Amino acid sequence: MGSLPAAVHPGPAAAAGGLDFPVAGQLTVIGLCALTAYLAHLALAVFNDGVRPFMLDFLHGRTTRSATGAVSFGLSAGFIFGLGAPMALSSGVLNPWLVFLPTDLLGILAPRKWLAPVLGAAWGAVVVFGLKGANEMAHELPVDFLTAMQQMATPILFLFTLFPVLAISKQFGRLPGAVAGVVELALVIVTMKLWPKVFAGAPAMAAGVLLLIGFAVAKDLRQRRAQRAGTAQERPAAADDDPMVSLFSASAARLRRHLPLFMALGAGVCLLAQLHIFGGGEATSFLIAKGRSAEAAQVDFYRAFGFLPLIATTALASGAYGIAGFTFVYPIGYLLPSPWWALVCGALVFAVEVLALSGIGRVLGGLPSVRDSSEQLRGAIGATLQLALLFGSLLAAQAMGGGLGILLVGGLYLLNEAMGRVVVRTAAGPAAVVVGGVLLNVLYWLDLFTPLTS
């Protein structure tokens, strides 16, 4: 694969690897990092879904800041250094793992309330100013592994298209999965033939998600009809009898009391997306780099459905919301024409999400198949991205070092597996490319390797 299709070539930012943000973008990143660190310090919001359940013990004084910070570091470090930084450097677009995961950690560890936003702002400054210098240095190396990492774009974008097919197969069986696969493949081929300027995966993903939701809703309706006919199992206990209801109500009330802070957060995240220097996911980063905002909005809109139940339930159980909410502010921001609209719409979206949180929890409780579909979507997204990132990393290895590059990157990936996944699997491939690129440069300086000619 020597070059990317026209629809998915990295754009100017990615190609040049500039990461040279305008002043408005710099101020937005620094201010947003300060706010997110402050919210993490107050245990009101964190980005890492795995950290959020631990916030309840922290709120009730059953664990310390340092212990909670250790959990945050353990669950986030691999994503920050193995995925967030390499993706930003290769695409020229910021991502949530690089921007928000460190502010989770800094906010939680900050011993004073005033120190949290200071540390967050400092991290924002490192992101907007430090990345540029690191990027320029990397591009001056004899083996330019950052340019090679742009080879990851095509596998990520096209394999990500298949996540609804995997989710349907796991939840509803082989035949529905095969039908969804045929539909998606047909749409990709038709789109590439008739509309070559449109990212072919976008219509296919839309069809796949609609099929999944359709199957789930149809199953829930059949179960309700069976219950009404007296053929289903005994109805579940009423919500009022659930011992978690009081906890959920207290958490929802706590979040509502801080509604102005959440509205400011929504405004900031939406503005960051509107400036087109930020992508909410792996696939989205490369689409934003190309300037394909509409396709990026579609991808992140469908992805949001996979994480909505998890964010809602963990927020209600722990009293800590998601830094990006249900992530609908991402696609909204990509599509808005003005920063002022982004500020207003982001604030309103977060206000609606926080106020509706209890109701969303009740609705999810009454739609078990739809709730399971979201769980399957989330798992399928992880599975497709793991394969895409591994395959893309090997393509990058081939581009920067040929067979030796593949040996180094593949060997580092396998070593990570053998050592019990010191780096999480999703981030292991990109991290291996960075380490492999550094090793190839060392071998060049030792006169043991000659860089490939393009």
Side-chain angles (χ1 to χ4, degrees), residues 188-207:
V188 168
I189 294 172
V190 169
T191 303
M192 294 178 74
K193 180 67 176 179
L194 299 181
W195 306 287
K197 294 185 178 181
V198 175
F199 170 50
M205 271 187 282

Side-chain angles (χ1 to χ4, degrees), residues 336-422:
L336 289 173
S338 163
W340 300 110
W341 276 107
L343 290 171
V344 173
C345 291
L348 291 177
V349 168
F350 260 51
V352 170
E353 288 181 4
V354 172
L355 294 174
L357 196 56
S358 294
I360 291 171
R362 288 193 296 270
V363 169
L364 289 173
L367 295 172
S369 296
V370 173
R371 189 172 64 249
D372 291 345
S373 294
S374 295
E375 186 72 22
Q376 295 295 345
L377 271 179
R378 197 157 40 84
I381 287 171
T384 53
L385 285 176
Q386 283 177 9
L387 176 61
L389 287 166
L390 174 58
F391 185 49
S393 298
L394 292 175
L395 288 177
Q398 165 72 23
M400 70 183 183
L404 180 59
I406 292 176
L407 174 64
L408 288 173
V409 172
L412 288 168
Y413 183 91
L414 292 174
L415 180 62
N416 182 68
E417 289 286 308
M419 295 176 63
R421 296 176 194 157
V422 178

Side-chain angles (χ1 to χ4, degrees), residues 80-127:
I80 296 169
F81 301 109
L83 185 62
M87 287 294 297
L89 290 169
S90 60
S91 68
V93 174
L94 299 178
N95 57 70
W97 305 284
L98 182 64
V99 177
F100 298 140
L101 286 181
T103 59
D104 281 0
L105 178 61
L106 293 171
I108 291 171
L109 289 178
R112 297 287 184 270
K113 188 183 295 186
W114 63 267
L115 185 58
V118 172
L119 293 175
W123 175 252
V126 169
V127 169

Side-chain angles (χ1 to χ4, degrees), residues 24-104:
Q26 295 172 357
L27 293 176
T28 300
V29 173
I30 293 172
L32 189 56
C33 285
L35 177 58
T36 53
Y38 181 67
L39 289 168
H41 178 85
L42 298 178
L44 283 171
V46 290
F47 181 78
N48 194 319
D49 296 319
V51 173
R52 199 171 302 118
F54 293 92
M55 302 306 287
L56 183 62
D57 284 340
F58 173 69
L59 277 173
H60 291 169
R62 293 192 291 266
T63 187
T64 63
R65 282 196 179 276
S66 58
T68 309
V71 170
S72 178
F73 180 81
L75 294 175
S76 302
F79 287 101
I80 296 169
F81 301 109
L83 185 62
M87 287 294 297
L89 290 169
S90 60
S91 68
V93 174
L94 299 178
N95 57 70
W97 305 284
L98 182 64
V99 177
F100 298 140
L101 286 181
T103 59
D104 281 0

